[in-house]
Amino acid sequence: MSSWIGAVILPLSGLLLSLPAGADVKARSCSEVRQAYGAKGFSLADIPYQEIAGEHLRICPQEYTCCTTEMEDKLSQQSKLEFENLVEETSHFVRTTFVSRHKKFDEFFRELLENAEKSLNDMFVRTYGMLYMQNSEVFQDLFTELKRYYTGGNVNLEEMLNDFWARLLERMFQLINPQYHFSEDYLECVSKYTDQLKPFGDVPRKLKIQVTRAFIAARTFVQGLTVGREVANRVSKVSPTPGCIRALMKMLYCPYCRGLPSVRPCNNYCLNVMKGCLANQADLDTEWNLFIDAMLLVAERLEGPFNIESVMDPIDVKISEAIMNMQENSMQVSAKVFQGCGQPKPAPALRSARSAPENFNTRFRPYNPEERPTTAAGTSLDRLVTDIKEKLKLSKKVWSALPYTICKDESVTAGTSNEEECWNGHSKARYLPEIMNDGLTNQINNPEVDVDITRPDTFIRQQIMALRVMTNKLKNAYNGNDVNFQDTSDESSGSGSGSGCMDDVCPTEFEFVTTEAPAVDPDRREVDSSAAQLGYSLLSASLVCIVLVLQRLCR
């Protein structure tokens, strides 16, 4: 009897040893795999009903399997597509942040310039009438150049502003001295006396400081939003390497081949796969974080002393103030110019004073702050910048965080609370290897992805360089310097012709560690109180002087 039992047991034991590890009666059926595979949209024609020998598999364990060669190929391609979509979806926030905020800031800035130009035109038409309209191209050219600078044109702000005041001086000098004829050479001589005579008072100097540094900061900031948008869009579109695709297939769909379609990857297993596949993206993080820090500091400048709204909103008032200074000092200015440039020739003939317009003695009416639009594009600069800063802070470390963000998705992994009942790459059990650190060089011993650490991704390196260049521009803008006009022999000197720093009003170095918003300087306070100052100066101005000047101008 015992010999008969032994004869039965020995063949059974041999049969058990020949079964794949972990195999049981249920695992032999491929019904669950067929259902899951069909749910992916694939045809069920080539799927076996029961496990078959797996010697044909190239990626998954070559044990009894529910996968044919065709299935492994299709699932491998599916894992690649799902990975690409995961990266794009995970980086969606940072991409939409830069796209939407760039659009809003650009819309705000353009409308701000249009509002300022319209306000100046309306005020000067109301105040000077035909005199302004006959010379309006001087002011139109100013705004045209400011817009061209903002949109990336090769405009030196300081030289452009100097040219504006020189042209304005030439026009006004002719208008306040209509009894003389001035040749082009003579007018060129007049313009050379602009700095020496200061016919417009201190307005040109202060306005130059305010306009240059505000425009430099605003343009560089919107360029930064553009670069951030482009880098995020490019980096979010990944092209996985063959080694990555193999690792993705093994992680996501080899459970199908083992008859375990409902078992998801272990969290730490997922992290190693993602860190290997996204190693180059993680290397972008250092330069990206420096770029975000630089954007935040320039944003603080825009909220403080480089506030473009506080510069452009009252620019018409400041230019009017400068014209008033010229009118009040016209006799002294003319005398000094005649002394330096020589006595001009008399004009051939003068028109009758009766040709002057009837409203020549209309008193200049100061603007009422309530009449002026307080916002552009439905917001204010402070609100806009505050919103952008909050979103920028959230986008720090986004690239090194990609693996963690993807792997905590419950649709991808079994989660950190289920470390025993998860797919570890071979079976349903705990994942034992340690988690790799971030970056390309740290993947040399990655147990899941074959990564060539000697060949960095050229495309990612290009994005790193683009961020580095933009960060350098932001550093210069933070200090009030225009990088496009820097002296390339000594960028840090701030001596380039586009420097916005004058009279020690700008900081001397860029500090990333600074987190406090810079204090508002005296020039900002002057801009903020310009309406009150102008009202006072206009009330105190001599009406007789204005009448006499306008009589001359309108002949």
Side-chain angles (χ1 to χ4, degrees):
M1 182 67 177
S2 61
S3 61
W4 179 81
I5 295 174
V8 174
I9 290 176
L10 286 174
L12 284 173
S13 63
L15 178 62
L16 290 171
L17 289 172
S18 67
L19 290 174
D24 53 36
V25 176
K26 186 178 179 181
R28 303 284 296 182
S29 172
C30 294
S31 60
E32 289 187 30
V33 177
R34 289 177 63 84
Q35 183 178 356
Y37 188 73
K40 294 287 182 183
F42 295 118
S43 170
L44 301 179
D46 298 325
I47 304 180
Y49 286 92
Q50 290 184 325
E51 290 182 337
I52 59 176
E55 292 85 356
H56 58 280
L57 298 178
R58 295 188 298 272
I59 300 175
C60 297
Q62 293 183 334
E63 302 173 4
Y64 280 97
T65 181
C66 289
C67 283
T68 61
T69 301
E70 292 77 11
M71 286 177 63
E72 191 180 41
D73 289 342
K74 288 179 180 178
L75 289 173
S76 179
Q77 182 63 24
Q78 180 69 17
S79 65
K80 173 180 178 293
L81 293 174
E82 288 184 9
F83 169 71
E84 292 171 348
N85 290 335
L86 278 170
V87 174
E88 195 160 355
E89 289 171 9
T90 307
S91 60
H92 180 262
F93 167 77
V94 69
R95 288 184 289 113
T96 55
T97 290
F98 279 91
V99 169
S100 61
R101 270 56 192 181
H102 173 272
K103 180 180 178 182
K104 194 69 175 176
F105 191 90
D106 182 67
E107 179 185 353
F108 171 85
F109 197 96
R110 291 174 185 273
E111 192 168 323
L112 182 68
L113 288 178
E114 291 174 4
N115 287 349
E117 183 173 13
K118 183 178 183 301
S119 180
L120 183 143
N121 184 74
D122 292 346
M123 176 186 286
F124 279 37
V125 167
R126 185 172 64 244
T127 305
Y128 300 109
M130 188 60 66
L131 290 174
Y132 163 71
M133 296 171 67
Q134 291 171 345
N135 297 278
S136 61
E137 76 275 5
V138 175
F139 304 92
Q140 292 169 357
D141 290 347
L142 169 66
F143 283 96
T144 297
E145 289 299 288
L146 289 175
K147 292 173 186 175
R148 192 163 74 88
Y149 173 83
Y150 169 70
T151 55
N154 188 23
V155 178
N156 186 314
L157 284 175
E158 289 186 27
E159 291 181 1
M160 184 271 291
L161 290 169
N162 288 339
D163 183 60
F164 164 74
W165 291 112
R167 288 179 66 193
L168 186 59
L169 174 60
E170 291 178 9
R171 295 295 180 96
M172 288 200 64
F173 192 77
Q174 294 178 82
L175 293 172
I176 63 176
N177 293 286
Q179 67 273 33
Y180 298 108
H181 170 73
F182 300 103
S183 65
E184 290 188 9
D185 289 341
Y186 195 96
L187 292 175
E188 186 176 344
C189 177
V190 172
S191 65
K192 291 179 180 178
Y193 278 83
T194 305
D195 291 336
Q196 179 181 338
L197 296 176
K198 293 190 178 355
F200 301 110
D202 206 29
V203 174
R205 184 191 70 84
K206 292 179 179 178
L207 202 58
K208 184 192 296 184
I209 295 173
Q210 295 160 356
V211 168
T212 52
R213 66 190 188 181
F215 267 78
I216 289 168
R219 181 172 87 160
T220 308
F221 190 72
V222 80
Q223 286 178 345
L225 292 173
T226 302
V227 169
R229 179 191 67 191
E230 295 304 317
V231 169
N233 283 337
R234 290 166 182 164
V235 175
S236 64
K237 291 177 173 58
V238 294
S239 297
T241 63
C244 172
I245 295 173
R246 287 180 61 86
L248 290 167
M249 169 60 194
K250 186 178 178 183
M251 181 183 81
L252 295 173
Y253 288 111
C254 282
Y256 280 52
C257 296
R258 289 302 308 275
L260 303 168
S262 62
V263 179
R264 290 182 180 144
C266 300
N267 186 74
N268 290 352
Y269 175 33
C270 174
L271 284 174
N272 274 343
V273 172
M274 292 301 160
K275 288 196 175 201
C277 288
L278 298 170
N280 284 282
Q281 280 76 6
D283 282 349
L284 185 76
D285 223 41
T286 299
E287 203 63 50
W288 176 266
N289 292 337
L290 292 175
F291 160 71
I292 295 297
D293 285 337
M295 287 287 290
L296 290 171
L297 285 173
V298 174
E300 290 180 357
R301 286 296 200 216
L302 288 172
E303 290 178 315
F306 297 2
N307 189 311
I308 190 71
E309 192 171 28
S310 68
V311 172
M312 293 309 298
D313 210 28
I315 195 170
D316 50 0
V317 176
K318 303 302 288 184
I319 294 175
S320 295
E321 182 183 337
I323 292 174
M324 290 293 296
N325 287 332
M326 173 69 178
Q327 290 175 340
E328 292 173 0
N329 299 306
S330 59
M331 296 182 66
Q332 299 93 313
V333 170
S334 297
K336 290 181 180 178
V337 169
F338 294 160
Q339 183 179 357
C341 297
Q343 190 69 22
K345 297 179 180 178
L350 294 176
R351 290 180 295 170
S352 169
R354 287 176 296 180
S355 63
E358 294 180 4
N359 65 339
F360 72 94
N361 61 350
T362 302
R363 188 175 182 82
F364 179 80
R365 182 174 69 87
Y367 80 94
N368 183 342
E370 296 180 357
E371 297 175 359
R372 184 183 297 275
T374 56
T375 64
T379 186
S380 69
L381 184 67
D382 289 341
R383 288 198 298 270
L384 185 59
V385 172
T386 297
D387 172 67
I388 294 175
K389 282 171 61 179
E390 291 175 356
K391 297 299 188 294
L392 288 176
K393 290 174 184 177
L394 294 174
S395 70
K396 287 191 70 173
K397 300 181 180 179
V398 65
W399 307 113
S400 61
L402 273 180
Y404 298 91
T405 307
I406 291 173
C407 292
K408 77 178 180 181
D409 188 334
E410 294 181 354
S411 66
V412 178
T413 69
T416 56
S417 61
N418 193 8
E419 297 182 0
E420 300 293 341
E421 301 291 314
C422 56
W423 175 253
N424 65 7
H426 301 281
S427 61
K428 185 169 71 171
R430 176 183 286 270
Y431 182 76
L432 298 177
E434 64 176 340
I435 302 175
M436 298 294 101
N437 290 324
D438 301 327
L440 184 63
T441 57
N442 289 316
Q443 306 312 309
I444 187 170
N445 294 319
N446 191 310
E448 309 305 336
V449 187
D450 183 16
V451 182
D452 186 354
I453 66 169
T454 65
R455 299 183 62 183
D457 189 301
T458 304
F459 181 75
I460 295 295
R461 303 300 140 174
Q462 290 173 347
Q463 308 315 308
I464 291 174
M465 185 54 65
L467 290 172
R468 192 168 295 165
V469 170
M470 192 65 243
T471 300
N472 184 59
K473 286 187 177 184
L474 290 163
K475 289 180 182 180
N476 280 281
Y478 177 82
N479 291 325
N481 301 326
D482 196 339
V483 70
N484 290 348
F485 297 102
Q486 280 287 345
D487 182 353
T488 54
S489 63
D490 184 11
E491 283 197 353
S492 63
S493 67
S495 59
S497 60
S499 171
C501 297
M502 303 172 208
D503 296 349
D504 299 323
V505 296
C506 287
T508 56
E509 63 179 304
F510 185 91
E511 296 179 303
F512 278 105
V513 296
T514 302
T515 57
E516 295 180 1
V520 178
D521 66 2
D523 289 324
R524 170 74 187 276
R525 287 195 293 269
E526 287 180 13
V527 172
D528 293 339
S529 62
S530 58
Q533 290 177 340
L534 181 60
Y536 177 81
S537 64
L538 291 173
L539 289 172
S540 61
S542 170
L543 178 61
V544 175
C545 176
I546 297 175
V547 171
L548 291 174
V549 169
L550 288 174
Q551 281 181 319
R552 294 178 184 174
L553 296 180
C554 296
R555 288 174 182 170

